[in-house]
Amino acid sequence: MKGCYINGMGIVSAQNTFEAEFLENTAVNTTDAVIYAQQPSYKELIPPAMIRRMAKGVKMGIYASTKALNEAGIKNPDAIITGTGMGCVEDSEKFLKAILDNNEEFLTPTSFIQSTHNTVAGQIALGLQCKSYNFTYVNGAVSLETALIDAKMQLDAGEAQSVLVGGIDETAEHTISLFKLINIIKKEEDLPGEIVNPVSKGVVFSEGAAFFALENENKASSYAKVLDVEIKNIIKSDEVEEFIQNFLTLNNITAEQIDAIVLGNNGDSEFDHFYDGAKKLLKNAPQVYYKHLSGEYNTASGFGLWMTSSIIKHQTIPPVVKMNDIEKSEYQYVLMYNQYQGKDHSLILLQKC
């Protein structure tokens, strides 16, 4: 049966997600307002001469995408679609600093060329010699979800058999300082910040890359089936319950059929109340969170999608991500809900294969 199946995944995050088994040996940060991605060994995948010239986001993207394609057994996808909120901000900062330091003279173009948002998708395509559809969405906190919608539409329409989808965001020193200045990042005195019942503004900021090999065929390596994805820019907090209910109704599923809900709580007391409507509607389902492990960034939902897919495949919820003590004998339908600063609301519905 045709559909949209996650047949391979690769992820680089603040956790050791590239070596350990599913959420083994996790480390919950309680001391830092910014946590950085743990970097795997890239030399097996990227020539050393190229590694030195590559920004962190590009390296993370190539590693995660290679892992996803290898797991799914795909040599060359029919499309490469990425999402990013900030793009290759590290190279952007390097180029802008060079402009100031050199009085706008004698500038080398390397950092400028590598600073564009579609650099990661382009580098992946170059490595694979993939000349198919290649697109990057820059859509705030729903960048990954927008890429996922595009991929699902292509698979559903039969325009592609396999699609590589990913979300990448990296940190950079000057950007972090600006985020601290405008209180997007938590103040040091507010740490450790509570995620489930937050009492302070701001988030613990981070970075990462998550890639998913999607195909219209259910394989032995399949993690889950993507039933539907919906995004909405602005809704009020008292409309969240209706937003989710309408989404489920559209997919002919009742709230009672949802076996778990994965929430994007990030510890920001100003905006985390948006999740209250989801908790109320699905009060009898296991409730799961993940940003205490991944940190917050525009495509952090990629970590959530990786975790949700793993929960469905392994049919277990690790204790470190549980918000309540409810358990189910089977995880058939799992719903993801994410929002950022009261905007960019997204819903992803996954089903067991």
Side-chain angles (χ1 to χ4, degrees):
M1 189 170 74
K2 300 295 182 183
C4 179
Y5 297 91
I6 299 174
N7 288 346
M9 302 193 297
I11 184 167
V12 178
S13 70
Q15 301 296 325
N16 184 6
T17 44
F18 47 84
E19 286 180 345
E21 291 297 319
F22 176 44
L23 291 183
E24 278 189 352
N25 307 320
T26 52
V28 180
N29 167 68
T30 58
T31 57
D32 301 311
V34 179
I35 51 177
Y36 299 95
Q38 295 190 34
Q39 301 297 308
S41 174
Y42 295 114
K43 61 185 179 181
E44 291 82 9
L45 302 177
I46 310 170
M50 293 181 66
I51 291 175
R52 289 194 296 271
R53 295 196 299 270
M54 282 183 176
K56 185 167 44 177
V58 177
K59 289 186 286 189
M60 292 192 298
I62 290 175
Y63 183 91
S65 62
T66 302
K67 290 290 184 183
L69 290 173
N70 288 347
E71 190 173 14
I74 300 171
K75 290 186 176 180
N76 215 320
D78 297 327
I80 298 173
I81 311 173
T82 61
T84 179
M86 298 292 291
C88 296
V89 67
E90 199 174 63
D91 274 308
S92 298
E93 287 190 9
K94 282 181 184 177
F95 184 70
L96 293 172
K97 187 176 185 299
I99 289 176
L100 297 173
D101 292 346
N102 295 291
N103 216 15
E104 301 184 19
E105 295 177 333
F106 315 116
L107 297 171
T108 56
T110 307
S111 292
F112 175 73
I113 293 166
Q114 295 180 343
S115 69
T116 57
H117 290 73
N118 60 353
T119 298
V120 178
Q123 289 287 346
I124 293 169
L126 282 170
L128 296 171
Q129 288 296 296
C130 176
K131 299 176 178 66
S132 304
Y133 179 91
N134 192 302
F135 207 88
T136 295
Y137 287 94
V138 185
N139 202 9
V142 289
S143 297
L144 174 65
E145 288 83 347
T146 311
L148 194 59
I149 289 172
D150 187 350
K152 189 175 185 305
M153 288 173 66
Q154 293 203 38
L155 290 169
D156 288 345
E159 293 181 8
Q161 308 298 315
S162 61
V163 182
L164 178 66
V165 174
I168 321 99
D169 276 297
E170 64 183 16
T171 56
E173 187 178 347
H174 185 66
T175 303
I176 287 173
S177 67
L178 293 176
F179 283 179
K180 286 181 177 179
L181 197 64
I182 57 177
N183 297 322
I184 287 178
I185 296 175
K186 280 192 184 295
K187 296 178 179 178
E188 298 293 337
E189 58 265 28
D190 291 330
L191 296 172
E194 178 61 46
I195 296 283
V196 179
N197 298 299
V199 293
S200 60
K201 293 182 180 180
V203 302
V204 173
F205 203 70
S206 190
E207 60 187 357
F211 273 80
F212 307 89
L214 307 180
E215 293 183 279
N216 57 8
E217 184 183 350
N218 186 0
K219 293 182 174 179
S221 65
S222 296
Y223 282 82
K225 182 179 182 181
V226 181
L227 287 184
D228 201 4
V229 185
E230 184 170 345
I231 58 177
K232 202 162 188 177
N233 182 232
I234 297 175
I235 56 176
K236 296 177 182 177
S237 58
D238 58 1
E239 296 173 337
V240 170
E241 194 172 343
E242 182 184 2
F243 173 54
I244 295 174
Q245 185 62 69
N246 290 342
F247 175 74
L248 295 177
T249 302
L250 193 66
N251 286 281
N252 299 313
I253 293 174
T254 64
E256 289 71 29
Q257 288 178 275
I258 297 298
D259 298 306
I261 181 166
V262 179
L263 301 169
N265 292 66
N266 61 15
D268 191 334
S269 62
E270 194 170 359
F271 299 106
D272 267 8
H273 65 276
F274 275 88
Y275 296 105
D276 293 344
K279 291 178 182 178
K280 181 182 176 184
L281 178 64
L282 299 168
K283 60 181 182 294
N284 296 321
Q287 295 171 0
V288 182
Y289 69 130
Y290 58 93
K291 287 181 181 173
H292 60 308
L293 301 178
S294 69
E296 178 65 282
Y297 49 100
N298 280 308
T299 52
S301 53
F303 187 98
L305 183 57
W306 168 82
M307 190 184 75
T308 305
S309 304
S310 299
I311 286 172
I312 291 176
K313 183 167 186 175
H314 299 299
Q315 289 291 296
T316 183
I317 299 177
V320 71
V321 297
K322 288 183 177 181
M323 296 181 81
N324 59 17
D325 297 323
I326 300 173
E327 291 188 4
K328 292 288 182 77
S329 58
E330 183 184 27
Y331 298 101
Q332 180 78 16
Y333 296 102
V334 181
L335 178 68
M336 268 186 68
Y337 169 47
N338 186 57
Q339 60 81 32
Y340 182 60
Q341 293 190 337
K343 300 177 183 178
D344 292 341
H345 302 261
S346 67
L347 294 169
I348 301 175
L349 181 61
L350 300 185
Q351 181 185 12
K352 180 185 174 184
C353 296

